[in-house]
Amino acid sequence: MEKELAKAYDASKVEDEIYKEWEDSGFFNPDNLKDAKKPFVISMPPPNATGKLHIGHAMFLTLEDLMIRYHRMKGDKALWIPGTDHAAIASNAKVEAQLKEKGKTKYDFGQEKFIEEVQNYISNSQDTIRNQIRKMGSSCDWSRERFTMDEGLTNAVQTMFVDMHKDDLIYQGFRIVNWCPHCESTLADDEVEHKDQDAQLYYMKYGPFIVATSRPETKLGDTGVAVHPKDDRYKEYVGQVLEVDLAGHKIKVKVFADPEVDQEFGSGVIGVTPAHSQVDYAFADKYGLEMIQVIDQQGNMTKEAGKYAGQSVKEARKNFVKDLEAVGLLDKVEDYSQATSICYRCGAAIEPLMSKQWFVNVNKASKKLGKQSLKEKSIEVVKNGDINIVPDRFNKIYFNWMENLHDWCISRQIWFGHRMPVWYKLDDKEKNSPVVQVESPGKDYIQESDTLDTWFSSSLWTFSTLGWPEKTKDLKEFHPTQVMETGYDILFFWVARMIMMTTYAMGEVPFENVYLHGLVRTRDGSKMSKSKPETIIDPLDMIKDYGTDALRLSLLIGTSPGNDIKLYKEKIASYRNFVNKLWNVSRFIFSTYEKPAGYSDPQPETAIDKAILTLFDDLINKTTKDFDKFQFGQAGDRVYDFVWHEFADWYLEISKFEKTESKPQILYYILENILRLMHPMIPFVTETLWKNLDKKEMLMIAPWPEQGGYDHKEELKTFRKAKEIITDIRNLRAVYQVKPKEIINAKITKEISAEGQQLIANLAKINFTNDISKKGSVSLEYLDLALGEVIDLDQEKARLEKEKKNLENYLTGLEKKIKNIKYLDNAPPNIVEQDKLRLEEKKAEFEELERQLDAI
RNA sequence: GGAUUCGUAGCUCAGCUGGUUAGAGCGCUAUCCUCACACGAUAGAAGUCACAGGUUCGAAUCCUGUCGAAUCCACCA
C-alpha cells in the first residue's frame, strides 16, 4: 500500500492522469500487444467534425470501448480506429450560418476561400472531439486516426468512383431528383423525410375536368391528364389532346387512362406534371409526355410559367389561385393532411426537379459481384449469415429497405466535399461528354464542380481507413472488422451502404457483426433537441459531476440492444454511488490486510469461503458469456449485484468476525478479479484501484479472469439458509423495535454448526444460552428467541398465521402439481426433481411454523 | 397502405431458447451518524406482468385478437 485512499472516490482527480498513462503505454496500438494473435477490430463511427460530442456519442464510445477492452484483456489483437467525418452538407450549413451572422454569404468568399473557412472550422472541431473522446476513456489507436477527407481517403473515394464507373455501376442520368432549395443541392431518397402537414386541396376547373391538387402552381407545367380506365365519367376524352386554359395560361395535355389512378381521391382526375413529380415522371415515361419545367433550382418560377416567372413558389401559388378565382375556375378548397417531403438537414420542403446527376446503379449485375447486383449481394451476405445483425429484428427492416432500393444519387451541388474525378472539355457546356479518371486529362479540361454525397466516403470507411486501395499490411490483417457498433437510426444511411460498397470493392463483408444501440432520450421519452436546451444531457457536464465511469454504467445497465433508453441525472448519480462503493470495499480490504502471498489461488476454509468463491465463479462465467452475446446491460447488472449485495453486504461483513487465514486471500482474490471483470465497463476507477495491488502491468492489459473451479453446492445452500435465518431475526427485531445494539438471548432448538452459530450471533446480535425466559419468547426455525418484554404475543401470532396461510396455499398447489400424471409424464426429470425437493423443504418449514404457533 | 417495437411495483427498466411464491435501481416508510462507505447500514410496504381468448402438465415468456404508446418504410394527385 502506497498511500491512504480517500474516503470518497474523486473521479475528476484521477481520470485525466490515468488516460495519459494508458495512451503513453502504447497499448491502444495492437502492434504493441506482443502475444496477441487473433484480431478484433472496430471502426469507430466517425463523428461529424461539426462541433462537439453529445450523449449519443458517449453511448457508442462506452459500448465500443467495452468490447475493445474486453477483447484486449482476452488476449486478442484489439484495434479500434478513430476518426472524424467531414459531413459535407452539415459543415457547409454550419459555416454558412456563421457567415450569415456576420452579414455575409459564401458568394462573398468564392468557392476556394469558402472551403478554407470550412476547413478551419472542421479542424477546430476535430481538436474538441479528440479531447472529448479521450474524456470518455476510449482506448482507440490514435496513431491510426483518419479523416474522411484526408489524402488517403480522398484517393480511396476517387479510385472507387473510377472503378465503379468502369463497371457501369456509376452513371450520369437526367431525371427527377429530390432537390432542396435551401441547401441548393440534391438529396438521396433516404435523406428525405416525410411529414404529414395540414394543407389545402384546390379543386380547379380544368377544361372538361375538375382537377384536385395541393400544388396549383405546378399545373402550369402539366402535359397530361390521367384517369382510371374504368371510370365512365371521362371515357370519351381518353386518347385526346386537349388545350386547357388556366386563367389565361394555355397548356396542352394528353389524356390517358391508367389503373394507378384512384377514382375515389379528389375528382378521380390527375393533372400530370412530369417535371415536378416522381409519379408523374413515371407516367410521362410510360405514355410519352412532354416535360415542361416551371420551377427552377432556387424554388422560383421559370419563364415557362408565363406571367408568374420569377415569383417564388409560394407567391406564384397565391397569385395563380387568385387569378383562377377571378375567372371562376376555382371550384372549391378543402383542408387535408398531406404527406410532404422535407430535407432531413434543414427541414425545407423538397422540390422534385429534373436534373442531370450522377447515380450508383444498385440493380445492374456486376462481374465483380459474381454476376449479382449491389443490391442482391448486400441481401445475400446478411441472409447467409456472413453478417450478423444484433438485435436480429433489424434483419427484416434491412431486407425491406434493400429490396426497395432505387439508384443512389451521389452528386451534390455544395462546395465543400469530395470533388468527383470527372472532367469536361471547356467547350462542353452541357456536360455531355465526361471523362472519368483521377488525373486531369489536360489543360483544356475542367473538373466537375459537383461534390459527392458524404455517405459515399463513409461507406468505404472500414477499408479506406486501413489503406485501400494500397494493399497494406493493415488491410490484410485487420479487414474484415469484427463489429460495427452504431445507432439504428443510421442503419440505412451508413450500415447498408458500407455493406454495398465493401462487398463490391473488397469482395468481402465490411464487418462480421452489427450491433445497433438505441437512442438516448429524455426522462419523458422525447428526443433531446437543441431547441430545448434544458432537456439536453451534456456528457461532459455529467463527467464533471459524477465521473466518466458512472456515466458509462448509466449507459450500459438497464439498456438492451436496439431499444431506446431514458437518461437523467439521478440515474447517473446512483452509478456514481456504486463506483464509490467499490472504492470503499477496496479501501477496507487494502487498509485491513496486507496483500497475502499466493492469493491468486485461494484456499477456502469455511462454508462461507466456499460459498462466495462458488458464486464468484458463476459470475465470471456468466459475465463472459454475456459479453460474447452482446448482453452488456445484463452483465453490468449482475456484477453490480454481486459486488454490492453478496461481496460487500455479506462476505465483507462476515470477514470482520470470522477470522481465518483464508480471508485475506479470498478478499484480495475476489477484489482483483472484480477489477478485471469490471474494467471494460468502468476503466478509470478499476485501473486506479489496481495500482494498490503493486502489479507490474496495467490492468488494461491484464488477462481476463478465468474460473477458479470452485463448485461447492452444499456450502452455497448453507450460506443461503444462514442469510435467511439472519434476515428473519433482523425482521423480528425491526417489528418489535429492539434497539440495534441490544443483544438477544437465544436457545438452539435444532442442530446448527458452530460456524452457523457464529454467523447468527454476529450478524443478528444474538447471545446463545440455554436459559431464556419463556415469557416474550418466540420460536424461529432452529432458535428460540427471547425478545425481552417488547414482544406482543398476539401480534406475533397473527403474523405467523398469515405466513402459515401463504405457505399452505403454496403447498397445496405444489402438491397438486406433483401428483399430476401429465406433469410427471411431460416435464423434464430435473424439473420434477427440483419441485419434489422444494416440496420437502417447504413442508418442513410449514411444520416448524405450526410448532411455533403451538408454542405461543 | 406495409412493417417493427413497447405496454412488468409511484418512476426508469431487467427478465435471452416457457419450469422457484416475478427482480433491480430510484422514490417511499421505519430504525440507525455500528471502527470501508450517510454517495452508507438494516428491515419493510408496494405488481390480477395492458385486456380477452388459445396452445401446454406448466405462460410475464409462445399463438390470435382488442386497446394504448412510439418508430421506420411507402410515388396517393
Side-chain angles (χ1 to χ4, degrees):
Chain A
M1 271 143 295
E2 311 142 24
K3 53 183 176 184
E4 286 273 305
L5 296 184
K7 196 169 169 181
Y9 173 61
D10 187 350
S12 63
K13 275 192 182 149
V14 297
E15 289 184 350
D16 289 347
E17 194 185 316
I18 294 274
Y19 192 87
K20 195 168 181 309
E21 285 172 32
W22 288 332
E23 196 174 348
D24 291 346
S25 77
F27 294 124
F28 289 176
N29 182 341
D31 298 338
N32 298 326
L33 299 169
K34 288 280 175 295
D35 303 322
K37 290 210 173 65
K38 202 174 119 203
F40 180 84
V41 187
I42 297 180
S43 301
M44 182 187 293
N48 288 353
T50 52
K52 56 177 196 170
L53 292 191
H54 54 68
I55 196 74
H57 295 117
M59 176 99 192
F60 85 65
L61 290 169
T62 299
L63 289 165
E64 289 170 30
D65 192 49
L66 182 152
M67 290 188 249
I68 286 290
R69 285 182 187 271
Y70 167 59
H71 282 273
R72 191 184 290 122
M73 290 176 79
K74 268 190 26 176
D76 292 343
K77 209 160 179 186
L79 170 62
W80 190 16
I81 305 174
T84 44
D85 194 296
H86 67 285
I89 293 186
S91 307
N92 270 273
K94 283 263 183 185
V95 174
E96 280 191 71
Q98 284 182 359
L99 293 181
K100 201 178 169 187
E101 274 176 31
K102 294 181 205 153
K104 290 185 175 169
T105 74
K106 64 179 179 183
Y107 300 105
D108 298 332
F109 283 73
Q111 184 159 6
E112 224 168 279
K113 274 268 179 196
F114 177 76
I115 287 175
E116 257 175 52
E117 285 289 308
V118 180
Q119 272 160 351
N120 281 339
Y121 170 76
I122 282 189
S123 114
N124 271 336
S125 298
Q126 283 175 322
D127 283 343
T128 314
I129 287 168
R130 281 187 199 107
N131 284 327
Q132 291 173 341
I133 292 176
R134 287 183 167 89
K135 275 275 178 197
M136 284 301 296
S138 318
S139 59
C140 48
D141 183 2
W142 292 106
S143 72
R144 285 180 167 87
E145 183 193 350
R146 302 307 294 265
F147 172 52
T148 49
M149 275 191 92
D150 65 28
E151 210 180 306
L153 269 70
T154 302
N155 182 31
V157 163
Q158 296 193 329
T159 306
M160 187 76 173
F161 190 101
V162 173
D163 286 355
M164 291 182 84
H165 182 261
K166 264 186 206 148
D167 283 356
D168 277 342
L169 291 180
I170 286 183
Y171 65 93
Q172 199 177 26
F174 184 68
R175 66 173 61 168
I176 286 234
V177 292
N178 307 297
W179 181 263
C180 173
H182 178 261
C183 300
E184 292 190 27
S185 179
T186 49
L187 295 173
D189 288 347
D190 49 309
E191 288 173 314
V192 176
E193 281 178 5
H194 301 274
K195 248 193 184 160
D196 281 343
Q197 263 177 8
D198 291 334
Q200 271 86 42
L201 196 59
Y202 301 87
Y203 288 74
M204 54 202 268
K205 290 185 183 146
Y206 190 105
F209 311 108
I210 300 274
V211 162
T213 178
S214 60
R215 302 198 51 191
E217 73 282 3
T218 63
K219 299 296 102 185
L220 298 167
D222 277 12
T223 56
V225 166
V227 298
H228 194 273
K230 284 185 182 156
D231 199 329
D232 293 334
R233 291 175 289 180
Y234 312 115
K235 251 189 176 151
E236 54 179 301
Y237 303 107
V238 173
Q240 295 186 20
V241 175
L242 304 174
E243 192 171 89
V244 176
D245 185 329
L246 299 173
H249 188 93
K250 296 209 169 50
I251 55 171
K252 263 190 191 163
V253 293
K254 186 172 165 189
V255 184
F256 61 92
D258 191 285
E260 289 270 303
V261 179
D262 180 355
Q263 294 181 58
E264 305 301 316
F265 188 89
S267 57
V269 180
I270 304 178
V272 179
T273 326
H276 299 289
S277 153
Q278 299 263 11
V279 193
D280 293 3
Y281 177 77
F283 278 144
D285 213 28
K286 204 164 159 189
Y287 298 98
L289 305 178
E290 239 187 288
M291 248 179 281
I292 300 174
Q293 186 171 341
V294 290
I295 301 168
D296 70 11
Q297 304 199 333
Q298 280 74 43
N300 296 324
M301 305 308 285
T302 66
K303 61 178 192 290
E304 298 286 351
K307 63 189 266 208
Y308 307 101
Q311 299 180 10
S312 74
V313 165
K314 260 191 185 166
E315 289 165 352
R317 181 178 308 171
K318 215 172 75 188
N319 293 330
F320 181 46
V321 168
K322 211 190 276 171
D323 293 344
L324 286 171
E325 204 171 6
V327 294
L329 287 179
L330 187 66
D331 186 50
K332 61 176 174 178
V333 181
E334 273 177 5
D335 286 337
Y336 95 120
S337 169
Q338 186 199 17
T340 49
S341 303
I342 58 172
C343 170
Y344 83 127
R345 285 277 177 209
C346 70
I350 297 299
E351 285 293 343
L353 279 186
M354 288 303 298
S355 155
K356 190 182 268 183
Q357 301 293 340
W358 291 86
F359 296 87
V360 168
N361 191 331
V362 298
N363 288 306
K364 190 182 165 69
S366 158
K367 256 191 210 159
K368 242 177 138 175
L369 293 169
K371 293 191 178 160
Q372 283 178 307
S373 65
L374 287 171
K375 199 174 180 171
E376 287 165 341
K377 188 74 190 174
S378 303
I379 291 171
E380 186 192 80
V381 292
V382 175
K383 275 223 163 103
N384 70 13
D386 288 353
I387 294 175
N388 165 45
I389 302 180
V390 180
D392 59 9
R393 67 183 142 92
F394 283 97
N395 279 313
K396 220 171 174 177
I397 298 174
Y398 172 82
F399 291 137
N400 180 272
W401 186 82
M402 267 296 174
E403 277 155 13
N404 294 304
L405 189 63
H406 302 295
D407 285 359
W408 170 20
C409 175
I410 50 171
S411 44
R412 297 288 178 274
Q413 290 66 49
I414 50 179
W415 284 358
F416 178 69
H418 288 109
R419 295 289 287 275
M420 287 189 266
V422 172
W423 312 83
Y424 302 98
K425 266 222 157 121
L426 280 170
D427 53 8
D428 182 9
K429 293 274 192 294
E430 294 295 312
K431 298 184 171 182
N432 285 326
S433 312
V435 176
V436 177
Q437 61 184 57
V438 174
E439 300 297 329
S440 167
K443 272 188 194 159
D444 51 339
Y445 281 83
I446 53 160
Q447 191 169 5
E448 167 68 64
S449 58
D450 281 5
T451 52
L452 277 167
D453 181 5
T454 287
W455 298 107
F456 190 92
S457 57
S458 27
S459 68
L460 318 180
W461 187 244
T462 62
F463 59 93
S464 62
T465 49
L466 291 169
W468 190 88
E470 306 302 321
K471 291 187 175 110
T472 59
K473 190 168 151 274
D474 270 9
L475 189 63
K476 197 168 168 237
E477 184 168 17
F478 296 121
H479 203 274
T481 65
Q482 274 56 58
V483 178
M484 171 48 58
E485 192 285 334
T486 190
Y488 65 74
D489 53 330
I490 53 172
L491 177 63
F492 306 137
F493 285 133
W494 194 41
V495 178
R497 288 195 174 121
M498 278 193 284
I499 295 174
M500 232 164 62
M501 301 295 261
T502 312
T503 47
Y504 169 78
M506 301 287 295
E508 61 187 26
V509 294
F511 30 70
E512 292 162 0
N513 298 283
V514 178
Y515 177 99
L516 296 169
H517 64 248
L519 271 35
V520 182
R521 292 171 179 278
T522 63
R523 184 165 208 150
D524 63 7
S526 52
K527 276 188 185 170
M528 292 184 192
S529 76
K530 282 176 195 154
S531 58
K532 284 185 242 160
E534 72 281 2
T535 64
I536 294 180
I537 292 189
D538 181 343
L540 292 176
D541 289 348
M542 295 303 108
I543 288 172
K544 209 170 92 206
D545 290 351
Y546 304 109
T548 301
D549 291 331
L551 177 63
R552 289 172 63 126
L553 277 184
S554 74
L555 292 166
L556 280 174
I557 298 181
T559 69
S560 47
N563 292 326
D564 294 350
I565 68 153
K566 291 168 192 161
L567 188 68
Y568 39 88
K569 279 186 182 176
E570 291 86 337
K571 211 176 201 171
I572 304 168
S574 79
Y575 292 115
R576 185 270 320 266
N577 295 354
F578 171 79
V579 169
N580 190 241
K581 185 76 184 180
L582 178 62
W583 176 263
N584 272 289
V585 165
S586 311
R587 190 158 82 101
F588 172 77
I589 295 173
F590 293 148
S591 63
T592 312
Y593 302 103
E594 285 292 333
K595 194 173 80 172
Y599 70 87
S600 58
D601 183 24
Q603 303 300 313
E605 291 176 45
T606 67
I608 298 304
D609 289 348
K610 289 174 183 166
I612 197 78
L613 286 169
T614 302
L615 281 175
F616 190 58
D617 254 11
D618 187 49
L619 180 73
I620 293 172
N621 178 32
K622 285 185 173 148
T623 306
T624 308
K625 279 188 180 157
D626 281 342
F627 276 8
D628 288 335
K629 287 193 297 181
F630 302 103
Q631 298 278 346
F632 307 121
Q634 194 163 270
D637 199 31
R638 209 195 303 281
V639 185
Y640 179 107
D641 185 63
F642 176 86
V643 170
W644 203 318
H645 301 304
E646 299 289 356
F647 191 53
D649 285 353
W650 290 93
Y651 193 73
L652 219 65
E653 289 305 317
I654 291 168
S655 79
K656 287 176 183 172
F657 57 83
E658 192 183 270
K659 304 270 185 192
T660 59
E661 274 188 43
S662 59
K663 286 294 175 305
Q665 285 180 25
I666 294 173
L667 288 168
Y668 268 85
Y669 167 80
I670 292 184
L671 175 62
E672 173 174 330
N673 285 296
I674 285 172
L675 297 182
R676 293 177 203 250
L677 274 182
M678 296 208 79
H679 182 70
M681 308 182 204
I682 45 174
F684 286 110
V685 68
T686 50
E687 187 76 72
T688 307
L689 289 166
W690 186 258
K691 289 176 193 286
N692 292 70
L693 292 170
D694 296 322
K695 297 277 187 180
K696 265 184 268 163
E697 297 200 303
M698 283 191 291
L699 176 55
M700 76 175 290
I701 52 161
W704 184 249
E706 279 175 31
Q707 287 175 271
Y710 302 100
D711 189 16
H712 303 283
K713 290 201 178 69
E714 275 309 307
E715 283 78 1
L716 194 55
K717 251 168 132 178
T718 308
F719 178 42
R720 292 210 170 108
K721 190 75 204 169
K723 279 162 117 178
E724 220 173 90
I725 295 171
I726 290 161
T727 306
D728 280 351
I729 298 172
R730 285 170 171 173
N731 185 10
L732 277 179
R733 298 179 65 111
V735 170
Y736 295 110
Q737 296 180 359
V738 180
K739 290 257 154 35
K741 281 178 184 164
E742 195 175 319
I743 304 229
I744 299 174
N745 286 330
K747 186 174 83 178
I748 299 166
T749 52
K750 253 192 201 173
E751 199 180 324
I752 190 163
S753 70
E755 188 186 349
Q757 288 186 40
Q758 194 193 13
L759 292 182
I760 295 166
N762 281 282
L763 295 175
K765 293 262 169 13
I766 294 289
N767 171 47
F768 287 106
T769 166
N770 282 323
D771 177 28
I772 62 167
S773 136
K774 207 62 197 165
K775 189 183 176 227
S777 85
V778 61
S779 179
L780 190 72
E781 196 184 11
Y782 296 93
L783 302 170
D784 267 345
L785 303 176
L787 289 153
E789 298 300 319
V790 292
I791 195 158
D792 175 339
L793 287 181
D794 287 340
Q795 189 189 337
E796 182 60 14
K797 197 170 175 185
R799 196 181 69 86
L800 290 176
E801 290 281 7
K802 195 179 155 198
E803 208 176 302
K804 187 181 155 191
K805 189 127 197 248
N806 277 342
L807 200 53
E808 203 166 10
N809 288 341
Y810 176 61
L811 274 174
T812 316
L814 198 57
E815 264 173 345
K816 210 170 141 192
K817 183 179 176 187
I818 281 180
K819 278 182 192 149
N820 188 332
I821 290 174
K822 281 185 178 169
Y823 164 76
L824 292 172
D825 284 350
N826 290 306
N830 60 319
I831 296 290
V832 178
E833 192 54 36
Q834 192 181 300
D835 281 342
K836 280 184 176 166
L837 243 123
R838 193 175 305 136
L839 182 67
E840 266 174 51
E841 274 171 30
K842 294 293 163 183
K843 262 187 177 165
E845 256 176 56
F846 184 75
E847 282 161 21
E848 176 59 30
L849 261 179
E850 280 188 318
R851 202 179 63 76
Q852 288 178 27
L853 275 163
D854 284 350
I856 288 179

